[in-house]
Amino acid sequence: MNLALTDPFILAQDYPETLTGKLSETTVCIADGAIVIFDVETNGVARKLRGHTRQIQALSWSRDGRFLLSSSQDWKCVLWDLKHGTRLKVVRFEAPVYIAELHPYNHLKFVASLFEDHPMLVDVSGDVPIKRKLSSIPKRYLPEGEEKSEKQALQDAKHLTCVTVFTTLGDHIIAGTNRGWLNIIETETCSVVHSHHLCQGVIVLLRLTQSGRDLVCNSSDRVVRTISIPDLSRESGKLENMTLEVEHKFQDVVNKLSWNHVAFSSTGEYVCASTYMNHDIYVWERGHGSIVKIMENSEELGVVEWHPHRPFVAACGLDSGRIYLWSIVTPQRWSALAPDFAEVEENVEYIEEEDEFDIHPIEEIHKRQLDLEDEDVDVLTIEAAKDEFEGESFGMPVLLDVGDSESEEEIVAIGPGTMRRRSPGAGQGWMNGQENGNPGAEKKRLNGTSKVQQRARKR
């Protein structure tokens, strides 16, 4: 029904325009390694996960949305089961983790990029995690009979992988090095099958579109590049002759801005980037390679993400830790509530139907009202969404009441018109395995019931 109320011209717009909201959590929750999952519809906190002791570097969702992989500066990655909110696997490394990403079809396998160390392909399907080292040395095609020189070998040994991503099918890994090289690694053999020199700077971030046919690269040379990726599964034997073509180069030639983070739109037609030492988000259109929007903000932004299905952008502020939301303000067409209602620009003569204003007996009207009240309307059951390829997919519990949120606001109400600042660590006793760390937890959650259910019982 809400879709019918929206102007169809607004629905055709593919990129956000204005700042529509903020998600405010205390900065401590971000700095101490906590993971906060927000409900987009209510802006409430759907779940909190605590398993790290330092800053979170990256998050990666499984294909069905049930599992979440978190990587942190505390030298470990944690695989979470969001259905129960528990830690499924914990993998420790010998260096801080730059970024980690789950395999697109196997949530028990992921690739991790480490600080000044070799990237790892990790399999956690068994009791003991299996770690396989991936090479950072680019593959060079030399003439037959010619070997790599000692000087070239020493130069290649200085390559370090900064970021890794899986391809759409998961049979290859695309890795970016600190010398501007892209390495394509075969997942099964963990060997480099193709390399391409992209730029002279450090490759900071790589992102693929949902189709996997386009790649966006953010590097330290202040240029954002989009690259067309061929079907690697079909050209497995022709990788020597394969070339990666740069489609567009996006940059600010006037202010020479650097970019903190980049992301593709849901359709892949737009690229957005947050700026270093600046408060804006730039949005480019890939069809003509031109900038279409600059979204302004009051503080510098770090990670920026685009919603997978909507023109909706979220970005995290570096100073306050708040999450800023940009979307489209949609004016509603209320005439759509009545199917036979039509908006007119001038008065028209109304033709009355024969039985439209007939007087019915009061008893009959009352009986109709009682019959309507006897019908049970289920407004709480949420049907599981079905994926086009995988059948039913996992869905996070929806917060029907914002009061059920686990949000940790700094100011809390303790009485009518009386406010106070929340005590540090209040309500966090469950971090140590205590279910009722909050003294009032028993009153709020009696036998696992929510506030909505308790109010229904009182009625």
Side-chain angles (χ1 to χ4, degrees):
M1 184 181 69
N2 292 335
L3 189 62
L5 294 177
T6 307
D7 190 349
F9 294 100
I10 298 296
L11 292 176
Q13 188 167 341
D14 296 330
Y15 58 89
E17 283 190 339
T18 57
L19 181 67
T20 56
K22 300 177 184 178
L23 303 180
S24 59
E25 271 290 305
T26 54
T27 310
V28 179
C29 292
I30 299 175
D32 67 353
I35 301 171
V36 184
I37 301 176
F38 288 92
D39 189 318
V40 177
E41 301 299 331
T42 64
N43 290 350
V45 178
R47 192 177 293 278
K48 286 185 179 179
L49 307 172
R50 296 183 184 273
H52 295 282
T53 57
R54 291 189 180 181
Q55 177 180 329
I56 302 293
Q57 287 293 107
L59 298 173
S60 177
W61 293 82
S62 63
R63 190 176 184 86
D64 59 356
R66 175 175 174 177
F67 301 97
L68 180 69
L69 178 70
S70 60
S71 55
S72 172
Q73 293 182 359
D74 59 2
W75 299 25
K76 66 181 181 182
C77 291
V78 179
L79 180 63
W80 302 88
D81 185 356
L82 298 181
K83 184 175 182 180
H84 307 289
T86 57
R87 282 176 282 186
L88 192 62
K89 298 287 183 178
V90 179
V91 181
R92 299 183 182 275
F93 298 95
E94 298 180 358
V97 184
Y98 269 139
I99 190 172
E101 182 174 295
L102 283 174
H103 191 279
Y105 290 97
N106 184 3
H107 68 274
L108 297 178
K109 183 183 292 185
F110 66 91
V111 61
S113 303
L114 307 180
F115 178 72
E116 294 185 352
D117 202 347
H118 293 283
M120 296 281 186
L121 180 63
V122 185
D123 188 351
V124 294
S125 56
D127 295 333
V128 179
I130 300 176
K131 304 176 183 178
R132 302 169 64 185
K133 286 187 178 181
L134 303 178
S135 177
S136 299
I137 299 176
K139 183 176 181 178
R140 300 182 183 274
Y141 300 100
L142 301 175
E144 294 184 4
E146 183 178 344
E147 296 182 357
K148 187 186 299 186
S149 63
E150 182 179 355
K151 180 179 179 182
Q152 188 65 59
L154 292 175
Q155 292 292 331
D156 290 346
K158 297 180 181 179
H159 284 259
L160 296 172
T161 299
C162 300
V163 58
T164 51
V165 292
F166 278 106
T167 56
T168 306
L169 299 178
D171 51 359
H172 290 86
I173 299 171
I174 303 177
T177 70
N178 60 340
R179 298 296 181 93
W181 281 78
L182 285 178
N183 294 330
I184 299 178
I185 305 172
E186 192 174 20
T187 305
E188 185 177 355
T189 60
C190 293
S191 59
V192 180
V193 295
H194 183 75
S195 297
H196 176 75
H197 190 210
L198 186 65
C199 61
Q200 299 296 331
V202 179
I203 296 179
V204 181
L205 186 65
L206 297 174
R207 300 295 294 271
L208 284 167
T209 56
Q210 295 183 7
S211 63
R213 301 304 300 271
D214 298 288
L215 176 76
V216 62
C217 172
N218 181 26
S219 57
S220 60
D221 61 356
R222 304 182 182 184
V223 179
V224 176
R225 296 173 174 86
T226 56
I227 306 161
S228 299
I229 302 295
D231 191 350
L232 300 177
S233 59
R234 294 184 178 180
E235 301 191 12
S236 56
K238 307 176 183 178
L239 294 179
E240 294 185 3
N241 301 325
M242 184 184 68
T243 57
L244 300 179
E245 298 181 358
V246 177
E247 180 188 34
H248 291 294
K249 293 183 179 180
F250 302 117
Q251 58 183 323
D252 190 335
V253 295
V254 178
N255 300 318
K256 302 293 183 181
L257 295 175
S258 299
W259 314 103
N260 289 333
H261 200 272
V262 294
F264 271 119
S265 66
S266 56
T267 59
E269 298 178 0
Y270 298 90
V271 175
C272 65
S274 58
T275 54
Y276 175 70
M277 297 295 290
N278 199 285
H279 301 166
D280 302 332
I281 293 180
Y282 283 58
V283 181
W284 295 280
E285 192 262 337
R286 292 179 54 207
H288 299 86
S290 58
I291 188 168
V292 295
K293 185 69 176 177
I294 298 179
M295 298 184 292
E296 301 178 352
N297 194 43
S298 58
E299 65 171 314
E300 184 181 351
L301 301 169
V303 177
V304 57
E305 290 289 344
W306 199 299
H307 193 278
H309 305 293
R310 294 160 50 184
F312 184 84
V313 171
C316 181
L318 295 181
D319 296 331
S320 65
R322 290 188 179 91
I323 299 176
Y324 297 87
L325 309 175
W326 283 266
S327 184
I328 299 174
V329 179
T330 56
Q332 295 179 334
R333 298 184 298 117
W334 297 106
S335 60
L337 289 173
D340 56 347
F341 188 87
E343 294 182 356
V344 295
E345 297 180 357
E346 58 182 11
N347 295 333
V348 296
E349 184 178 355
Y350 179 72
I351 301 176
E352 177 185 343
E353 296 182 3
E354 183 178 355
D355 59 345
E356 184 173 0
F357 295 103
D358 291 349
I359 300 176
H360 298 279
I362 299 178
E363 293 79 6
E364 184 179 350
I365 297 175
H366 185 62
K367 183 181 178 180
R368 291 180 183 176
Q369 293 177 350
L370 292 177
D371 292 341
L372 293 175
E373 291 177 358
D374 291 339
E375 295 181 3
D376 295 332
V377 181
D378 186 7
V379 296
L380 299 179
T381 303
I382 302 172
E383 297 181 357
K386 292 186 178 181
D387 190 86
E388 183 179 355
F389 303 99
E390 299 185 356
E392 294 188 358
S393 60
F394 171 75
M396 285 285 295
V398 176
L399 297 176
L400 300 176
D401 187 358
V402 182
D404 294 336
S405 170
E406 299 177 0
S407 179
E408 294 181 354
E409 297 293 343
E410 296 183 357
I411 307 298
V412 295
I414 59 175
T418 307
M419 309 291 288
R420 70 166 175 82
R421 187 172 297 275
R422 181 185 291 273
S423 302
Q428 300 180 6
W430 58 279
M431 290 174 57
N432 302 322
Q434 303 173 6
E435 292 293 334
N436 299 324
N438 189 350
E442 288 291 338
K443 297 181 181 179
K444 292 182 179 179
R445 301 178 183 177
L446 182 60
N447 296 329
T449 59
S450 63
K451 292 182 180 180
V452 177
Q453 295 170 338
Q454 294 178 24
R455 292 170 188 164
R457 289 181 179 178
K458 292 180 181 179
R459 293 175 183 172

